Amino acid sequence: MTIEAAVGPPLAPDAAAKPPVIHPVWVRLNHWINALAMLMMIGSGWQIYNASPLFGFTFPREIALGNWLGGALLWHFAAMWLLVVNGIIYVALGLATGRFRRKLLPLYPRDVLHDLAAALRGRLAHDDLSSYNAVQKLLYLGILLTAVVIVLSGLSIWKPVQFQGLTSFFGGFDTARYVHFAAMAAIVAFLVVHVTLSILVPKSLRAMIVGR
């Protein structure tokens, strides 16, 4: 038996050099749908906030969505259902495929501190995009938790009578609004960091578009 018969024909150069898939199709579709829904919810949420501000400022109309309260509410509810359905699919597939376990666990405080210190010094490597560092794990777990908080606080604001138990859990309608705003601010901060890192490490953006 020849060596070629034993090991098979040599791989074509393209096949041998082709990098592995980092993000499967369902992850990429879910990511971009989430991005669209988030932008819609944030923009319309700012317009809703402007109708009854919690603080001494309002958001510029140029970056808000809906033009007026009624229009903003329509955008917000439409985006809400898109986000919730897409989020359920994402979590279900993330658990069923084991992606969450592989990507986000284990997570140790000492690793977070080590990687955070390396990131602040500009020494955090991004060579292997298939593996998340401890800071990324913490951020992704945090944003999943924040998503749960913003949905539940949003429900308590939307239907305070029907979900009076949930509204009471957040300390009442007014407090739930502050919780909802804080969760929104956390998501916006995450998006700013996320987009900044995508610009600094462009191959991560490419991987989320083509998968590799």
Side-chain angles (χ1 to χ4, degrees), residues 26-64:
W26 68 267
V27 170
R28 284 176 276 149
L29 286 174
N30 212 275
H31 175 274
W32 293 113
I33 293 173
N34 268 342
L36 174 62
M38 278 292 183
L39 291 176
M40 290 167 59
M41 290 214 71
I42 291 170
S44 58
W46 287 347
Q47 186 64 54
I48 296 170
Y49 166 91
N50 286 348
S52 180
L54 292 171
F55 305 100
F57 67 88
T58 57
F59 294 97
R61 293 189 61 181
E62 292 76 13
I63 62 173

Side-chain angles (χ1 to χ4, degrees), residues 25 42 46 85 103-104 117 126 132 153 157 178 182 195 205 212:
V25 173
I42 291 170
W46 287 347
V85 171
K103 294 287 188 179
L104 304 179
H126 299 282
Y132 293 156
S153 61
I157 296 169
Y178 283 99
V195 172
L205 178 60
R212 303 177 188 273

Side-chain angles (χ1 to χ4, degrees), residues 151-169:
V151 168
L152 293 180
S153 61
L155 288 174
S156 68
I157 296 169
W158 179 34
K159 299 287 186 179
V161 176
Q162 291 85 342
F163 296 109
Q164 55 183 310
L166 185 60
T167 306
S168 298
F169 172 79

